[in-house]
Amino acid sequence: MKHWNTPVLEVIESLGTSAREGLAPDEAARRLAKTGPNAYRQAKGESLASQVLRQFKDVSNIILLVAAALSFALAAREGSGFLEPLVIVAIIVLNMVLAVTQERGAERALEALADLNSPTCLVLRVGSRIEIDTADVVPGDVLVLKTGDLVAADARLVEATGLAVDESSLTGESEAAEKDASALPEEDAAIGDRSNMVFSGCLVTAGNATAVVTATGMETEMGRIAGYLNETQRMQTPLQLRLVRVVRAISAVALAAAAILLATGLQQGEEFWAMVLAAVSLAVAAVPETLQLIVTLSLTQGVHNMVGKHALIRKLPAVETLGSVSVICSDKTGTLTQNRMSIRRMWAAAPYLPVSVPVAVDGAVEGVAELDLLHKLALASNAAIEPDGEGGSRIVGDATETAIVRLLTEGGETREQLLAERPRVGEVPFSSARKMMTSVHELPQGGYLVLTKGAFDRLPFAPAPAEELARRQEAHDSFAADALRVIALGSRVVEELPASGDLEELERDLTFEGIVGIIDPPRPEARDAIETARRAGIHTVMITGDHAATAAAIARQIGLIGEKGSVVTGKQLAAMSDEELVANVRAYSVYARVSPEDKIRIVEAWQEQGEVVSMTGDGVNDAPALKAADVGVAMGAAGTEVAKAAADMILTDDNFATIVDAVREGRNVFSNIRRTVYFLISCNLSEIVVMLGAQLAGWGTALTPVMLLLINVLGDGIPGLCLAKDTSDERIMRRKPIGRTESFFSQLVVRATLQQTVAFAAVGLLAFWLGCFVEIPGAVAAGLGVGQTMCFFVVALSSVLHVFTVRSRGSVFTRAVSDNMPLVWSAVAMAAVFSLLVLAEPVGRVFGMVGLGWERWALSVALAVVPTLVAEVFKLWENRHETWLYRSRLVRHQSMGEE
Ligand code: ADP
Ligand code: MG
């Protein structure tokens, strides 16, 4: 049966459903069990085995295996027992378990996130509209579609008004396809011509409809395509790609160092195979195999933190881009304001029937008319009262209209009563581009009442005397200056409707009815968030469809512009050439009376200025701007599915402050990665220097292969993982945005790395020398084993201590260690393990250590503290400028606020 070629009643019958009622929940559940979820089957997740195998593609793990093999060979040759090679294998396994578990954890977190992100849709179940997960839709369900929705499954239209659907993903046709429920295309019609069907995954760009589901999941037209597309590539973010290069560079250094070590050792007459093993171990220790894992972990940790702060990341690279955002463009209504609207003032031209609610009413308040301003506004609204499921009722719909309907009900009347006598016969829906809407009502005495409500300066009123116009304007301006959102109403009575059916023709010569002023208070947290952004070097831009005066008043309240600050209107914007806009864009913080289409120009102008732009949006028309922005942000509550699909991030609380929080997290991710890279590199480099230095000095091999591996996994790896997931530093929002191509190695980081490497290496070598050659009265006698053990202990412990100083740019004490308890516990545990190894002979011997005794242990602890102290002094020195810099930046931003 071709659903598009069969009368709709037959289709409905064959699907065993009802267009009015939809399915019953238990029937839907039964069908779901049979057909399976309405989803395109995902490519299977990677199996554990293949993930483990993938680890072996890593250079560093190959080197590890070579080391293990060599050590077995060596042990067999010398008959020295297999303890050492077994220990090496154990460490390799530990390393791999760590990598695989962390990676799987990260993947699971991302999958859970994808679930949170899953779309929903409206269906009829036993006659009432309910919202369900798109995955739960079954054949026979009745979809309720409106502008901005994503079609949940293939469905045959039952009813449709003005429905247009973007089917470009299916047909390649870029124009939206107009749909007609009553059409009956040929049996062999192509997908694009099946005008009485809607298809899964396509976007409703206009109109509304009900449709009965004919196919779900892989059975849909899109599902058939998805079958081919299942092999999606694992996407690498730019940071991950950059890290690959860093890892390669360090690996090259490590291999070169290993070669030099081998050559020197052989020249000094060391045993060949032992020297090869030492060289390979050095390579193992110095290759930063955990680095890439660290980026993944930081990113997922960032995504996880953002979810907790109401920001859902849809595309992983957005986490990084957020850290670089330097301009946040935000809608006013609902994002910077609360979207909790209520009518504050009314100004009526005709006699007004006072309602018993506390609203300041200006203008003609005397006398009684059949319908007053509020009645007519309510007739022209779409908000409705619905049961809230708990015995009470709530008003649902657009926030502006909710304010109107709420005031009416507070006066004891309902919109339904009004509509009963004057049924609505037609509507021109509200659009942000036109900023008005019209509803047409049949009057009991015959004829039609046309009500147009919308922006005061957009309504086509009939000509009026100049003084009358001035009075209206004055009323409007005084409302707007109070930060009120103004809605004007015009009316007309006509004998008949246009023959063409185009109701827009009725919108002319309107009688001025009056205006209402609606208050929408700013969100309390907006002011602070804007200030935080400003200090962080981020420019906030407010974009609204509201009037310039209203926009300016709100912008002042939230501290976006100063007293004299001005507003750019959509009209001025239209008069500007692209070049002019680019040249002046930095001076504009507030745009009023703009259309969604203008947003794209604003985004591009800022980008032209080299800025990284985030843009919010909720409607269908916002989607292109969201795509053009570096970080497109959609509203979770008020946003359409179309906007969400185009966005990189979704705000579940629609709140501006959430964007600023997300930027903080983004910066933190970058900063954690950079710190961890810096930490691991100074650890690795110092190990190289210690090994080479000791060999060149002719003191012998400073660290055995087992020791090197232990340092690598326990001393550097585990603290490094904790560092990668660190909480954010207070000061992170007092710096400039991270440049998009900013290197991990700023001059400061390079200097710090060198300084740390020198400090680590110096104490490591000193420890080795003290252990090998210096007798301490009452302590264990000096010797190679003692030297190696001391060297191991000092290098391992100093890097564990060093993590704490790496955490902050200021002194260690600028950040509470309690911010990162996993780090504290792992550090304590590592320090205990290292002490156990060097103090308890029987345990230590397994790993080739010699008992140090308390004296040498205490001496080693003292040495291990030194690099941390050096780092602290270094930071004090570096920061002497920073304090000054912060201050001068603050001053500059403050003066920016007064522009
Ligand atoms: P924003 O979302 O930026 O506040 P809108 O496009 O929603 O901008 O509103 C722009 C103007 O359109 C408002 O100032 C108001 O005059 C008018 N308006 C908004 N919502 C409605 C509505 N539901 N009906 C009629 N007019 C409206
Ligand atoms: Mg709006």
Side-chain angles (χ1 to χ4, degrees), residues 333 398 400 430 432 485 618:
T333 309
D398 169 70
T400 309
F430 176 78
S432 301
R485 180 176 168 88
D618 49 15

Side-chain angles (χ1 to χ4, degrees), residues 51 88 136 162 238 327 412 423 510 618 732 787 801 883:
Q51 200 166 4
I88 292 184
D136 295 340
V327 178
L510 299 175
D618 49 15
I732 210 158
L801 293 177
T883 349

